[in-house]
Amino acid sequence: MTTETDRSPRRIADEALARLSTGEAVWARTDNARRRDLLARLGDLAAEHAVEWVETAARIKGLDAASPLLGEEWISGPWAVVGYARALGKTLDRLSRGQDALGTTRLRRAPGGRLAVPALPANGYDRLLLSGFSADVWLEPGVTETEARASAGLGARNTEETDGTTLVLGAGNIFSIAPMDVLYALHADNRAAVLKLNPVTDPLLPVLRKILAPYVELGVVEIVCGGADVGSALADDDRITAVHMTGSERTHDAIVWGTGASGDEARAAGTPRLTKPITSELGGVSPAIVVPGRWSRADLEFQARHVATQRLHNAGANCIATQVVVVSADWDQKDAFLDALRRALADAPHRPVWYPGGEDRVAAAREQHPDRCTALGGAPGRVLLGPLDPADRDEPAYTSEYFAPVVAVTELPGLGADFLRGAVVHANDVLRGTLGANIVIDPATRSRMGEEFETLLADLRYGTIGVNAWTGVGYLTPYASWGAFPGHTLDDVQSGIGVVHNAFLLDRAERTVVRGPFRPSPRSLLHGEWSLSPKPPWFVDNRTAATTGRRLVSFQSRPRISTLPGIFASALRG
């Protein structure tokens, strides 16, 4: 009997593509009403198999079955997929009725001649469950409302005009990425898709086949396992029209240019070995810019846990995990904040550094900074580096993504707008990559800056910017765009090319701006912020995150008011 391990990469690719031989033609005959129904079925299946999904994820990541940290898997796995399928289905429903893909959404003005498309809250339930959080997709400068509405929907506007087959090279860290990338390829690009799983996620193959079954049975999606050799065999096949990948800059360059001396020669000559279109999401060095202000002790502790979460979520194996914390050298509360950050990093629940190579990258960070490295007690593998020289453009923490629980601190001069202006320049010009940047700023300081704050946001060249909200919220927001800031090229790809998600299927999305409350409820209300949100369930020290996450998935699958009290009760206990 022949097993998958007995087959050559070429044979695996041939068999998958043979099964997809009529996939594009079938997809061209599938109108938006039918596609909407397929999405509804996928959402139901993701919820139905959510327990199996989360249990498998826990085994991959070495998490105890009773750990609150499983909340990360509920929220960044089934919850994200169900929410995206529901939102995308609403867009297709509008298109199937001959309506505008944006429906009644009212576009707003943003700095620099931009339009902002509201992405969060999308409905009344969002206003309750994510009270105080908002997100807008900023389109590229100069896009008019007429153009935005005419192009929204992308490939789903003309379902009969398909464009071949996309190879989706799945991510190995966050387990909703691969299925959502497949959905984007199907609908935004109007292509059939082959999903090649990252070997780390091979144990998820059975559950992903169950969730994607409507598309596999229709003959428009195939799922395969294997290493880089299988991915190369698929990418090189003429039956593949385009490639989309999530991974590292190094992996992207190996696919596009090749490896070793031949890869260097191809890059120097400007002759990529991959001659078909490739889009990518490749991570980078993400900053958390902490704007100085007058904070209470509770503010210092909460925001320290917020920044720690941005690094420690998923044991640091996130493409937008905060790696460099930028603070003001002139802030009289700088030391108090950094002390709180050390405690938050040390006291967060222990977990393995599970992603392959993570422990080696932590060790490398220690070796690179022998005199500026603090190993945090009670938390093996977690280190805090710094303060690092902000002018050192060769600093490894600025140029290489650790993808592990390593946090660096750098200090810049100034207060208020002067500090933020310098921090924006540092993030843009020194740190590698443009995927996500975070700003922490108290409402009083933000108010004093006036419109200059929005101008500085526009100057910050990142694909997602979080203001008092981790950029991961942008990833979880179905209508938000997700990807690098526009402008990267194949020979300097940094955080990638193109975007995914944005359930409106917007054209020329430049960035997503996510905003959240500076303080959790009830302190938010006592200080004049209209937000009922307690500590978010994605915080790594949230004690009921797993229960809240499970209840959120159930609600996302079948929204009903009767389930809200249980969600709120769990969130408050957290």
Side-chain angles (χ1 to χ4, degrees):
M1 178 178 177
T2 301
T3 65
E4 184 148 303
T5 55
D6 296 325
R7 294 177 297 165
S8 69
R10 179 68 267 161
R11 184 173 176 184
I12 293 171
D14 278 338
E15 291 175 354
L17 291 171
R19 291 192 294 270
L20 269 183
S21 61
T22 60
E24 182 182 4
V26 170
W27 195 232
R29 296 194 299 269
T30 308
D31 63 20
N32 275 324
R34 175 64 177 138
R35 295 182 183 194
R36 173 203 61 204
D37 295 343
L38 289 168
L39 283 166
R41 179 63 182 144
L42 178 141
D44 290 342
L45 290 169
E48 178 182 337
H49 299 290
V51 171
E52 179 185 355
W53 181 334
V54 172
E55 288 176 348
T56 305
R59 289 194 295 273
I60 293 172
K61 298 183 180 184
L63 295 176
D64 187 277
S67 172
L69 292 171
L70 288 189
E72 295 179 2
E73 301 310 313
W74 282 101
I75 291 171
S76 69
W79 188 60
V81 169
V82 175
Y84 184 57
R86 298 291 187 236
L88 189 53
K90 291 179 180 178
T91 295
L92 298 190
D93 183 63
R94 284 191 288 271
L95 291 172
S96 72
R97 300 171 187 272
Q99 299 172 358
D100 188 333
L102 291 172
T104 59
T105 301
R106 299 181 65 179
L107 278 58
R108 300 192 284 256
R109 306 305 306 180
R114 296 172 174 87
L115 284 176
V117 182
L120 181 73
N123 52 50
Y125 289 130
D126 284 348
R127 290 182 177 88
L128 290 172
L129 293 171
L130 292 168
S131 175
F133 288 86
S134 66
D136 296 299
V137 179
W138 290 10
L139 304 182
E140 294 177 359
V143 176
T144 67
E145 180 162 352
T146 299
E147 292 170 335
R149 291 188 178 276
S151 59
L154 296 176
R157 296 179 61 85
N158 298 290
T159 55
E160 296 179 359
E161 296 181 10
T162 51
D163 192 21
T165 300
T166 293
L167 167 63
V168 175
L169 297 173
N173 61 328
I174 295 294
F175 299 155
S176 59
I177 293 176
M180 292 204 295
D181 286 352
V182 168
L183 293 179
Y184 191 82
L186 287 165
H187 299 287
D189 301 325
N190 208 20
R191 297 185 180 120
V194 179
L195 169 60
K196 206 289 286 184
L197 296 179
N198 185 300
V200 172
T201 66
D202 282 355
L204 280 168
L205 177 62
V207 72
L208 289 178
R209 280 185 169 156
K210 293 172 185 175
I211 293 168
L212 289 166
Y215 299 91
V216 175
E217 292 166 1
L218 188 63
V220 299
V221 168
E222 276 294 317
I223 312 174
V224 300
C225 296
D229 49 3
V230 174
S232 294
L234 285 162
D236 293 341
D237 196 288
D238 290 340
R239 289 167 287 183
I240 291 294
T241 307
V243 176
H244 176 78
M245 65 161 292
T246 301
S248 69
E249 188 175 356
R250 179 182 300 176
T251 300
H252 169 276
D253 289 348
I255 293 169
V256 172
W257 302 104
T259 58
S262 61
D264 294 339
E265 291 171 4
R267 186 195 288 269
T271 55
R273 65 176 296 276
L274 184 75
T275 57
K276 57 193 68 174
I278 180 170
T279 54
S280 52
E281 190 265 89
L282 307 175
V285 176
S286 293
I289 299 170
V290 182
V291 182
R294 176 52 53 193
W295 296 6
S296 69
R297 180 173 179 176
D299 295 337
L300 291 165
E301 295 291 337
F302 177 77
Q303 291 300 343
R305 291 196 297 272
H306 189 187
V307 173
T309 288
Q310 295 170 15
R311 176 77 265 182
L312 297 183
H313 185 281
N314 202 32
N318 281 332
C319 48
I320 36 77
T322 286
Q323 183 159 306
V324 177
V325 181
V326 185
V327 298
S328 169
D330 300 320
W331 186 24
D332 59 4
Q333 293 182 292
K334 176 196 69 177
D335 291 340
F337 173 75
L338 293 178
D339 286 344
L341 179 59
R342 291 186 191 94
R343 288 194 298 273
L345 291 168
D347 295 344
H350 172 68
R351 67 182 347 153
V353 181
W354 69 274
Y355 198 81
E359 292 184 349
D360 292 339
R361 290 187 290 274
V362 172
R366 294 186 182 200
E367 292 172 4
Q368 293 159 353
H369 306 86
D371 301 325
R372 291 168 292 162
C373 174
T374 302
L376 300 167
R382 299 176 191 171
V383 296
L384 183 67
L385 309 176
L388 303 181
D389 181 358
D392 183 1
R393 291 176 177 266
D394 295 324
E395 164 57 52
Y398 301 159
T399 60
S400 301
E401 182 182 12
Y402 283 119
F403 220 63
V406 177
V407 187
V409 174
T410 192
E411 300 178 8
L412 297 174
L415 299 171
D418 289 338
F419 166 78
L420 183 55
R421 197 177 301 113
V424 167
V425 172
H426 179 78
N428 285 344
D429 296 349
V430 178
L431 305 185
R432 183 75 175 171
T434 65
L435 186 64
N438 308 276
I439 298 175
V440 179
I441 184 168
D442 66 88
T445 303
R446 160 71 184 85
S447 179
R448 285 193 294 271
M449 289 190 195
E451 289 304 310
E452 186 174 6
F453 180 77
E454 297 298 314
T455 300
L456 290 171
L457 279 189
D459 291 341
L460 190 55
R461 298 191 298 269
Y462 283 79
T464 298
I465 300 172
V467 180
N468 295 332
W470 181 33
T471 49
V473 179
Y475 172 83
L476 294 170
T477 299
Y479 290 103
S481 61
W482 186 252
F485 194 81
H488 296 313
T489 59
L490 288 181
D491 60 349
D492 185 23
V493 72
Q494 297 202 38
S495 289
I497 297 171
V499 300
V500 290
H501 303 177
N502 80 93
F504 287 129
L505 302 179
L506 298 164
D507 191 21
R508 297 180 64 186
E510 181 189 63
R511 74 183 87 193
T512 289
V513 178
V514 184
R515 304 174 199 256
F518 179 72
R519 303 174 178 92
S521 180
R523 289 196 305 113
S524 56
L525 297 173
L526 297 174
H527 288 82
E529 289 185 276
W530 181 244
S531 171
L532 300 175
S533 294
K535 179 194 295 184
W538 52 84
F539 268 43
V540 293
D541 62 343
N542 190 303
R543 294 170 297 177
T544 61
T547 300
T548 303
R550 185 176 67 249
R551 291 178 180 178
L552 283 170
V553 171
S554 177
F555 176 84
Q556 188 80 280
S557 175
R558 284 191 170 32
R560 51 206 183 277
I561 293 175
S562 62
T563 61
L564 290 176
I567 296 173
F568 292 145
S570 178
L572 289 169
R573 287 195 301 273

